[in-house]
Amino acid sequence: MKQSRKRLGDLLIEERLITPDQLQTVLAEKAPNQKIGDALLQRGYITDQQLAEVLEYQLGIPHVNLIQYPFDTNLFSLISKETAKRNLIIPLKKEGNKLYVAMVDPMDFIVIDDLRLSTGFQIETVIATKDDVLRAINKYYNVDEGLEELFDELTSSERGRDDDVTDLDSPIVRLVNQILNNAVIQKASDIHIDPQETKVVIRYRVDGVLRIERVLPRHMQSVLTARIKIMSNLDITEHRIPQDGRIKINLDFHPIDLRVSTLPTVYGEKIVMRILDMGATLNDLNKIGFNALNLKRFSEMIEQPTGIVLITGPTGSGKSSTLYAALNKLNSEQVNIITIEDPVEYQLEGINQIQVNTNVGMTFAAGLRSILRQDPNIIMVGEIRDKDTAEIAVRASLTGHLVLSTLHTNDSLGTVTRLIDMGVEPFLLASSLSGIVAQRLVRKVCRDCAEVQAATKREIDIFARRGMKIDKITRGKGCPSCNMTGYKGRIALHEVLVLNDDMRRVIMNDDSFGKLKEHAIKNKTIFLIDDGLLKVKQGLTTTEEVLRVAILE
């Protein structure tokens, strides 16, 4: 049965999922052996679900959702976990001499032939998304592998614990690897291990929201803590003081960096692991979520040869990602870029990065003084925490350097007040500050289950208060792809304040906060709330998400 089939790219254009320009860009830039579908996914032009649906139409092969699929776990012995992971396949059911297998790429005939030979069955394929397949493999293959073994070992005797936590085949090592693996597959940003009176709770933070992943019995706490401490080179005999460490591992040939922090609580040590995905595309300013005007203003700010550019916001608002993206844009062989950070989160090629170490007196202020003797063009200070660091940063910018840094404040205008409170002289601040970016992260509406709805009366009122109109908004109704939350991924909201001469005059004269705001409005500054509401109009997020992080005035 030979029929002419449309090419995948043309089908995606027909379905209005991508534009012809996007297709041409991807065809020109992708690696020679990379599939067009994978290249489009990598750039975020389409979702896994959209690709699966278009492939279903193109190939006439059914598409299946695995989130609540009634798997026959006996079939897992036919295909090993390694084979399933390597080829992104999972067996579904058996009918007579037919074995139904979910595949991400149902056109991979070599894999299909291998399966036919190794299992002895006729192979029938269905399409599933990559996330779905990986989640199912982790969930059903060797369910809670090592847990039963571990319970037996720990309850029968306390022997061999030191060996357990270092022996790569021991149950505890497998359990920790499984916890890390699941977190990476679910795209979690943090893993929390919370000791409680009768149990140990493991939670993942996905898209900024914590949720319970699994609950372990209390007696597993000490061996779990010991294993994580050994992996992060921490002192396993010290339980009374907080400790910080780092783990570097490869999960499925993908480099992952974990920042580990322990904290003594009444029920034992709480551990939080921040996952830094080294393969993530963090380094492109265009992908962070700046709107066109803000991106233009921010780019102009960082391209100046001198001055201070500050990025502000609470912990976990993506400040570091924006800083690294800015450094990446500025990084070239003509400039000397030096950073001082606590800790160094991502290692960037061609940039000299210094780690703060207060135990030996290497503070932000001390490091910054030394940096100035190293002939830098651009300096990045991880965070301005005290008067010393603030003053040296100001002086560095006045002596011909571009200084990038972060500060914990609520908005861009509040940053000026905060720096003056810290003890920086207003005239020095006015002449050195180029601009301030306030940033927050909000969850994005899931593209696979997004629905356009009429705006509520409250939403119409909120928009009207900011001088905007809205009649339709986009919400996710919940689907397997977003774990029934209606949200998938996050996007940044920005408030970019460019300091002009009028604002500098206000700072120098120590005038009221209100005057500064008037000039900011006159200069067409887009405030956080406005940037958020514009992103609601574009269907990227919801009003609830914006109001969660920005104040409506």
Side-chain angles (χ1 to χ4, degrees):
M1 182 189 89
K2 255 205 157 178
Q3 58 177 63
S4 62
R5 275 207 311 263
K6 286 189 180 175
R7 290 181 307 174
L8 180 64
D10 298 333
L11 267 174
L12 289 164
I13 291 170
E14 243 174 61
E15 293 289 320
R16 296 191 176 170
L17 294 171
I18 60 169
T19 64
D21 286 351
Q22 286 174 330
L23 180 63
Q24 291 311 317
T25 308
V26 168
L27 286 170
E29 290 176 2
K30 76 179 185 71
N33 55 352
Q34 191 180 23
K35 296 191 179 94
I36 182 73
D38 287 345
L40 288 162
L41 278 174
Q42 191 183 336
R43 285 162 181 77
Y45 291 155
I46 54 170
T47 66
D48 268 341
Q49 188 77 12
Q50 288 166 340
L51 178 62
E53 283 165 7
V54 170
L55 281 173
E56 174 178 24
Y57 175 69
Q58 187 200 28
L59 305 172
I61 296 172
H63 160 238
V64 67
N65 266 331
L66 303 179
I67 203 153
Q68 285 168 332
Y69 192 87
F71 283 96
D72 178 354
T73 47
N74 297 326
L75 298 176
F76 291 161
S77 57
L78 294 173
I79 299 172
S80 72
K81 186 177 181 178
E82 285 64 40
T83 306
K85 264 194 160 168
R86 188 173 61 248
N87 301 309
L88 296 170
I89 56 176
I90 191 163
L92 299 175
K93 60 180 183 181
K94 188 174 72 176
E95 278 179 8
N97 71 334
K98 286 182 183 172
L99 177 66
Y100 286 80
V101 177
M103 301 180 73
V104 172
D105 179 9
M107 302 301 287
D108 197 333
F109 298 117
I110 296 170
V111 171
I112 294 168
D113 272 355
D114 286 351
L115 286 176
R116 191 167 48 77
L117 291 169
S118 63
T119 62
F121 286 98
Q122 200 56 41
I123 304 297
E124 292 286 333
T125 60
V126 297
I127 301 173
T129 67
K130 184 177 177 180
D131 276 358
D132 249 9
V133 170
L134 283 172
R135 218 179 278 139
I137 290 170
N138 265 320
K139 189 172 177 184
Y140 294 104
Y141 266 91
N142 313 332
V143 180
D144 286 343
E145 61 179 17
L147 271 184
E148 299 303 319
E149 237 180 292
L150 191 60
F151 290 154
D152 296 344
E153 282 182 27
L154 289 176
T155 43
S156 62
S157 93
E158 293 293 306
R159 279 181 303 106
R161 177 171 294 169
D162 292 345
D163 298 340
D164 278 347
V165 290
T166 51
D167 175 12
L168 294 181
D169 283 331
S170 77
I172 186 64
V173 171
R174 293 210 303 274
L175 172 67
V176 170
N177 289 349
Q178 201 185 26
I179 290 169
L180 299 180
N181 226 330
N182 285 349
V184 171
I185 283 167
Q186 292 184 36
K187 298 186 170 62
S189 60
D190 302 83
I191 304 167
H192 286 237
I193 297 173
D194 297 325
Q196 296 178 4
E197 192 172 2
T198 56
K199 59 193 177 198
V200 178
V201 178
I202 292 168
R203 295 185 293 170
Y204 292 164
R205 189 181 291 281
V206 179
D207 290 340
V209 179
L210 276 169
R211 58 164 182 253
I212 292 177
E213 167 68 10
R214 60 165 53 157
V215 177
L216 301 174
R218 165 85 178 164
H219 64 254
M220 288 178 64
Q221 183 191 334
S222 54
V223 68
L224 183 65
T225 305
R227 172 62 193 159
I228 292 168
K229 280 184 165 185
I230 280 172
M231 287 174 82
S232 33
N233 288 325
L234 298 179
D235 183 353
I236 60 170
T237 60
E238 181 56 79
H239 311 287
R240 299 156 302 171
I241 56 169
Q243 295 186 66
D244 291 309
R246 200 166 191 149
I247 301 174
K248 276 191 171 182
I249 47 168
N250 270 328
L251 286 177
D252 299 330
F253 315 107
H254 196 64
I256 300 291
D257 208 340
L258 296 146
R259 257 171 45 199
V260 182
S261 165
T262 72
L263 185 74
T265 69
V266 285
Y267 294 121
E269 287 175 283
K270 173 179 166 71
I271 297 174
V272 175
M273 294 187 266
R274 164 70 56 93
I275 301 170
L276 305 168
D277 185 346
M278 308 318 272
T281 50
L282 257 184
N283 41 20
D284 191 345
L285 270 183
N286 301 312
K287 290 182 182 161
I288 286 175
F290 278 104
N291 72 34
L293 176 65
N294 280 345
L295 180 61
K296 179 174 172 284
R297 286 181 165 182
F298 183 62
S299 299
E300 284 169 2
M301 248 188 245
I302 62 171
E303 277 159 11
Q304 290 179 13
T306 64
I308 296 184
V309 177
L310 291 174
I311 299 179
T312 76
T315 310
S317 58
K319 299 188 296 293
S320 300
S321 301
T322 305
L323 269 184
Y324 281 122
L327 286 179
N328 215 49
K329 185 174 182 181
L330 298 169
N331 191 8
S332 73
E333 64 177 67
Q334 286 90 19
V335 291
N336 177 20
I337 302 177
I338 306 181
T339 76
I340 177 153
E341 305 167 61
D342 181 22
V344 172
E345 286 189 29
Y346 293 95
Q347 275 135 21
L348 301 174
E349 205 173 322
I351 290 178
N352 310 287
Q353 293 169 280
I354 304 167
Q355 170 89 36
V356 163
N357 185 348
T358 44
N359 298 336
V360 295
M362 173 59 102
T363 59
F364 276 120
L368 197 42
R369 281 193 192 94
S370 312
I371 287 173
L372 291 172
R373 295 193 283 274
Q374 289 279 320
D375 181 31
N377 299 92
I378 298 163
I379 301 167
M380 191 266 263
V381 183
E383 191 186 332
I384 293 179
R385 292 180 185 169
D386 51 40
K387 183 184 174 185
D388 264 10
T389 314
E391 283 188 340
I392 301 162
V394 165
R395 293 217 159 81
S397 74
L398 292 172
T399 52
H401 304 95
L402 174 67
V403 179
L404 306 177
S405 190
T406 69
L407 198 66
H408 287 276
T409 57
N410 287 332
D411 57 14
S412 56
L413 294 165
T415 307
V416 175
T417 323
R418 172 98 178 86
L419 285 165
I420 292 170
D421 279 351
M422 266 185 176
V424 179
E425 291 292 344
F427 71 91
L428 285 175
L429 188 60
S431 43
S432 62
L433 202 54
S434 299
I436 302 161
V437 180
Q439 180 168 316
R440 298 289 185 283
L441 290 178
V442 289
R443 291 185 291 170
K444 275 167 40 178
V445 172
C446 172
R447 282 158 66 178
D448 293 326
C449 62
E451 284 185 329
V452 177
Q453 303 174 353
T456 63
K457 182 180 180 309
R458 181 166 178 262
E459 282 172 324
I460 293 167
D461 289 347
I462 287 166
F463 274 77
R465 278 171 68 179
R466 303 301 300 176
M468 295 186 219
K469 282 185 179 169
I470 184 94
D471 49 3
K472 296 267 190 294
I473 51 137
T474 309
R475 273 200 175 79
K477 62 177 189 286
C479 66
S481 182
C482 61
N483 236 339
M484 308 315 286
T485 59
Y487 296 103
K488 189 171 187 188
R490 287 192 289 176
I491 193 166
L493 308 184
H494 299 100
E495 177 175 302
V496 179
L497 181 76
V498 181
L499 263 78
N500 58 20
D501 291 341
D502 292 334
M503 291 185 205
R504 292 185 204 285
R505 229 168 276 123
V506 171
I507 296 170
M508 265 192 206
N509 299 338
D510 217 354
D511 276 346
S512 70
F513 184 77
K515 277 239 179 86
L516 204 56
K517 188 158 190 185
E518 278 170 33
H519 288 300
I521 293 166
K522 217 182 278 179
N523 200 24
K524 296 190 169 57
T525 300
I526 299 169
F527 292 101
L528 269 176
I529 185 82
D530 301 326
D531 193 33
L533 296 179
L534 286 168
K535 286 185 166 94
V536 173
K537 281 191 88 155
Q538 291 171 304
L540 295 172
T541 187
T542 61
T543 322
E544 295 85 354
E545 276 295 294
V546 173
L547 293 179
R548 189 170 61 79
V549 298
I551 298 163
L552 181 66
E553 292 168 13

